[in-house]
Amino acid sequence: TMQQNFSTIVDILASWDVPMLERKSKPIEKDEFGRTCKTMTATRFAELKDAGKTIHTLLKETNKFLNLSASSHDWKCYMHFVSGTIIDGLVKAVTTSLKFLYEQIEYDVIQANGTLPLLEIQLDVKLDSKQLVFLPSLNHKIDSLQSTIDSIIGSFMQQAGLLKRVDGEGTYLRD
């Protein structure tokens, strides 16, 4: 039972090693991209919360099977080991999503892969004020492309905050 439950936990963690984002075959506008990301993020977050509950249930079953006190040295060592495994799974989940995003927005990678850009960005020439304006804005304003990308990266990191630690209080966000 201990090996089976740990194997199930490892399988759960491996299932997180997929990007949180998907791309369309053609460039899309920032607002549509934002809506799509919110939907995918909500789905992933729900999956992580459910998986966290399953992991805790499996560990309770293992503890009951082994008939160990939750405060015993052996059980605490096992919880520390499992916690390290969970951290590894979360790190893979975050880095997989970061790598995917990078591959979708880095010019050289896009060229090498022969893909279209992920997002549609327009350049508007304002003749009356002699300015070039990017739509969406590329600077650090609230509704800019930069703020959208920052928000997406933040959601990748938030995955670790959704799981309660198995070896103590809190979440894995700081790890």
Side-chain angles (χ1 to χ4, degrees):
T1 299
M2 183 177 182
Q3 285 181 326
Q4 290 173 332
N5 286 352
F6 183 72
S7 178
T8 301
I9 291 169
V10 169
D11 290 344
I12 289 169
L13 299 173
S15 73
W16 302 343
D17 192 15
V18 293
M20 276 181 62
L21 301 175
E22 294 176 1
R23 74 166 288 144
K24 307 265 184 186
S25 59
K26 61 181 183 173
I28 59 175
E29 292 181 350
K30 180 188 77 69
D31 291 340
E32 181 183 348
F33 179 69
R35 286 190 300 274
T36 302
C37 289
K38 283 182 183 179
T39 301
M40 287 186 252
T41 298
T43 300
R44 172 64 73 91
F45 284 6
E47 291 169 357
L48 285 169
K49 287 178 183 177
D50 289 343
K53 290 175 187 175
T54 301
I55 289 169
H56 280 271
T57 300
L58 290 168
L59 291 171
K60 285 179 185 176
E61 287 176 11
T62 301
N63 182 270
K64 187 176 179 181
F65 176 77
L66 295 173
N67 197 23
L68 287 172
S69 166
S71 61
S72 75
H73 177 71
D74 290 339
W75 183 251
K76 286 182 179 180
C77 286
Y78 182 64
M79 289 294 90
H80 182 71
F81 169 73
V82 172
S83 191
T85 305
I86 291 170
I87 291 168
D88 290 345
L90 288 167
V91 167
K92 285 181 184 176
V94 171
T95 55
T96 296
S97 290
L98 286 170
K99 182 179 183 232
F100 180 80
L101 179 61
Y102 170 80
E103 290 172 350
Q104 305 312 307
I105 62 176
E106 174 56 38
Y107 177 78
D108 291 335
V109 175
I110 292 170
Q111 292 298 310
N113 292 340
T115 56
L116 293 172
L118 177 66
L119 298 168
E120 181 177 298
I121 300 173
Q122 298 174 354
L123 177 62
D124 190 15
V125 179
K126 303 281 186 185
L127 295 176
D128 56 338
S129 60
K130 298 180 184 178
Q131 289 184 323
L132 299 176
V133 178
F134 289 97
L135 300 171
S137 173
L138 301 180
N139 62 20
H140 294 285
K141 292 181 181 175
I142 291 175
D143 194 31
S144 69
L145 182 60
Q146 180 69 41
S147 66
T148 300
I149 298 296
D150 288 347
S151 174
I152 291 165
I153 292 171
S155 68
F156 296 165
M157 305 303 272
Q158 284 177 338
Q159 294 178 91
L162 298 172
L163 293 174
K164 292 180 183 175
R165 293 190 71 90
V166 299
D167 62 348
E169 296 294 318
T171 67
Y172 290 96
L173 190 57
R174 291 184 183 211
D175 293 295

